[in-house]
Amino acid sequence: ITLGSLRLDCPAAVVDDNEKNLSLGLQTLRSLKCIINLDKHRLIMGKTDKEEIPFVETVSLNEDK
């Protein structure tokens, strides 16, 4: 897969889900040495070349009320 400018080799499974564009599993996150920055809402990934990928904005049910 390609995320930002990084090309990543990882296993994939295609599922029928209209809500999610991409889900990365824990094993994939670990193997890619990913850092989840909750303050900046970014996923930092890549073993040598680092790429910062913003989280998809979601609205929680509590924020709608």
Side-chain angles (χ1 to χ4, degrees), residues 30 32 34:
R30 283 184 175 163
L32 296 171
C34 290

Side-chain angles (χ1 to χ4, degrees), residues 15-27:
V15 296
D16 186 15
D17 185 344
N18 292 331
E19 293 184 21
K20 296 179 185 172
N21 293 324
L22 174 69
S23 293
L24 298 175
L26 181 59
Q27 190 64 30

Side-chain angles (χ1 to χ4, degrees), residues 1-58:
I1 60 173
T2 302
L3 296 173
S5 63
L6 290 178
R7 180 171 167 80
L8 308 170
D9 294 323
C10 61
V14 178
V15 296
D16 186 15
D17 185 344
N18 292 331
E19 293 184 21
K20 296 179 185 172
N21 293 324
L22 174 69
S23 293
L24 298 175
L26 181 59
Q27 190 64 30
T28 301
L29 294 172
R30 283 184 175 163
S31 69
L32 296 171
K33 307 288 188 212
C34 290
I35 299 167
I36 301 170
N37 187 324
L38 297 175
D39 290 331
K40 293 183 179 181
H41 301 281
R42 302 216 180 256
L43 179 65
I44 304 166
M45 56 190 342
K47 293 179 181 178
T48 54
D49 297 324
K50 301 290 185 190
E51 179 80 16
E52 290 193 25
I53 300 167
F55 293 158
V56 174
E57 293 294 325
T58 59

Side-chain angles (χ1 to χ4, degrees), residues 41 57-65:
H41 301 281
E57 293 294 325
T58 59
V59 177
S60 73
L61 295 175
N62 293 333
E63 291 177 1
D64 288 340
K65 295 179 181 181

